Amino acid sequence: VSPDYYGDFYPLTPWNRDHDTWIAWQFDRPEIGEGVVQVFRRDTSVYETARFKLHGLEPGTRYRVTRVGEAARSLMESGAELMNSGLLVNLAEQPGVAILRYQPASAR
């Protein structure tokens, strides 16, 4: 995911150091339509699931979202769904982390 760090940066939550919250951000590479979302569940957060509205996507494009390390379990969502309803992330571990890559569904 290191090339994604040179893309556009979007904080998906306010920055804080509280141990009972989640924190997330997105790096988007608009020139190729791909990016990465990094999500962190802090050690005393009581919530196992959170939803994050993404930025910079093409509303009419379908995106394949894959959790790093779980390539067989990708989901397909439109850019409009990811920007308006948001990306649903489940983290049972406390603390926990998820790294999710997205790319247009036609890309391999």
Side-chain angles (χ1 to χ4, degrees):
V1 299
S2 59
D4 295 320
Y5 296 142
Y6 294 102
D8 296 340
F9 173 74
Y10 298 100
L12 302 178
T13 62
W15 171 255
N16 68 65
R17 297 178 67 163
D18 299 337
H19 290 271
D20 62 348
T21 61
W22 290 50
I23 192 163
W25 47 75
Q26 172 189 1
F27 293 95
D28 182 63
R29 296 172 59 198
E31 68 279 4
I32 61 171
E34 299 180 7
V36 67
V37 176
Q38 296 175 320
V39 179
F40 302 89
R41 178 184 179 197
R42 301 269 178 66
D43 59 341
T44 61
S45 172
V46 297
Y47 304 104
E48 290 187 14
T49 303
R51 188 175 295 273
F52 304 96
K53 293 183 179 182
L54 303 188
H55 301 272
L57 306 181
E58 293 294 327
T61 299
R62 295 209 39 91
Y63 290 88
R64 176 180 292 109
V65 181
T66 306
R67 196 162 172 165
V68 172
E70 298 179 13
R73 293 180 43 196
S74 63
L75 69 99
M76 302 283 273
E77 297 281 353
S78 72
E81 291 168 317
L82 292 169
M83 292 188 297
N84 296 324
S85 297
L87 174 64
L88 186 66
V89 179
N90 183 7
L91 286 172
E93 303 83 25
Q94 193 177 1
V97 62
I99 300 172
L100 301 115
R101 297 215 25 117
Y102 60 88
Q103 61 185 28
S106 60
R108 290 272 170 200

